[in-house]
Amino acid sequence: MNRKNNLIYKKIFNFSIRIINLYKYLSKEKKEYILAKQLLRCGTSIGANIREGLDGQSKKDFIAKFSISLKEAGETEYWLELLVASDILKRKQVESLLSDIEEIIKILTSILKTSRERINN
């Protein structure tokens, strides 16, 4: 599959770059290393698993990798919310990221639902 024209791949790649930049900010400016590292790992793992799924050898492989991406997206949302709830970041600082991750979760959920329906038919 051509990743350059794939909407979810482009969206998550750009999201990953923003997560990396937030990680740098949290580490350098806020001196928050543990939560920042957790966010970095799951926030960039979404795209890595999507890429593996797009390059998968079967529909089941695709579904497995996209399912992992969905779980990582949920974890990313959790860490962003925790950073706000603990007053490390202001909601305004991560509103755009939270909006994007909610959209990514919806897209992944829809892709998985459609893929599972197709495999069962």
Side-chain angles (χ1 to χ4, degrees):
M1 178 171 272
N2 185 351
R3 289 183 293 275
K4 290 182 183 178
N5 297 325
N6 187 287
L7 172 68
I8 189 65
Y9 184 77
K10 288 193 292 189
K11 183 172 280 302
I12 196 57
F13 188 85
N14 291 329
F15 180 83
S16 295
I17 291 168
R18 292 175 62 213
I19 290 292
I20 291 167
N21 289 331
L22 179 56
Y23 167 78
K24 290 176 187 177
Y25 170 78
L26 288 167
S27 298
K28 291 178 183 173
E29 302 296 324
K30 296 289 189 171
K31 305 297 184 210
E32 175 48 62
Y33 305 105
I34 296 170
L35 296 178
K37 189 68 144 187
Q38 290 289 103
L39 179 64
L40 178 68
R41 286 181 179 161
C42 61
T44 57
S45 176
I46 303 165
N49 281 291
I50 286 173
R51 183 166 179 160
E52 283 187 51
L54 291 172
D55 294 339
Q57 297 177 2
S58 68
K59 199 63 160 173
K60 286 184 178 183
D61 191 29
F62 174 90
I63 290 170
K65 294 300 180 184
F66 269 63
S67 295
I68 293 168
S69 290
L70 180 58
K71 289 177 185 179
E72 295 292 338
E75 184 179 343
T76 301
E77 184 178 43
Y78 172 81
W79 291 118
L80 289 169
E81 290 170 349
L82 189 63
L83 286 164
V84 171
S86 61
D87 292 324
I88 294 170
L89 294 174
K90 302 290 182 216
R91 179 160 287 280
K92 190 170 188 164
Q93 290 176 288
V94 294
E95 268 179 5
S96 178
L97 284 168
L98 283 167
S99 176
D100 285 352
I101 198 63
E102 288 171 9
E103 183 181 0
I104 289 165
I105 288 169
K106 287 178 185 174
I107 293 169
L108 288 172
T109 301
S110 178
I111 290 169
L112 283 166
K113 181 181 178 204
T114 301
S115 297
R116 288 182 180 124
E117 287 171 357
R118 286 184 182 159
I119 207 167
N120 290 329
N121 289 331

